[in-house]
Amino acid sequence: MEEKCCCERKKMRSEEEYKYLVNRLNRIEGQIRGIRNMVEKDAYCTDIIMQVSAAGAALNSLNKELLARHIKTCVENDVREGKEESIDELVRVIEKLMR
């Protein structure tokens, strides 16, 4: 299945990519539930902080993966088709990520 973007701002993903992303999100969701459980069980503050940091790192890692795939598919395809506005959009996204 070819990966490409369409005008409705959707992304057609291969089954392999879909499963990979959902699996990563399920693990992150599990981390968040674990943090809530720690709070409910009065875990020590720094233990919770470390788990929150790990969850944040997992989200950042997922963001990097999504950004790389976006550049290699959507942006590349748009540039080849002369849609230079994709580069401007990419710059705005990167600026937001770097705040």
Side-chain angles (χ1 to χ4, degrees):
M1 174 186 287
E2 182 180 324
E3 296 180 23
K4 70 179 237 180
C5 293
C6 66
C7 59
E8 289 95 29
R9 295 185 56 91
K10 291 186 179 181
K11 165 79 168 158
M12 300 302 295
R13 293 183 172 83
S14 68
E15 186 174 336
E16 179 182 323
E17 180 182 7
Y18 172 81
K19 286 180 180 179
Y20 173 80
L21 293 172
V22 169
N23 184 37
R24 298 256 322 247
L25 288 166
N26 285 339
R27 285 188 303 214
I28 293 167
E29 184 180 15
Q31 285 180 288
I32 301 302
R33 281 193 309 268
I35 294 166
R36 183 185 63 226
N37 189 41
M38 291 175 77
V39 170
E40 290 170 349
K41 293 187 177 186
D42 299 321
Y44 192 61
C45 298
T46 57
D47 294 339
I48 297 171
I49 290 168
M50 294 309 298
Q51 289 305 310
V52 169
S53 178
L59 283 168
N60 284 336
S61 178
L62 178 63
N63 244 353
K64 287 186 235 178
E65 179 72 28
L66 287 166
L67 182 60
R69 289 176 189 241
H70 177 64
I71 292 168
K72 292 175 183 177
T73 58
C74 299
V75 175
E76 183 179 324
N77 291 338
D78 284 353
V79 168
R80 287 183 186 188
E81 293 173 9
K83 299 176 186 172
E84 299 292 325
E85 62 272 8
S86 276
I87 294 174
D88 294 332
E89 177 188 51
L90 178 61
V91 169
R92 285 190 305 274
V93 167
I94 291 171
E95 287 171 347
K96 287 180 182 179
L97 289 173
M98 294 181 76
R99 287 185 191 168

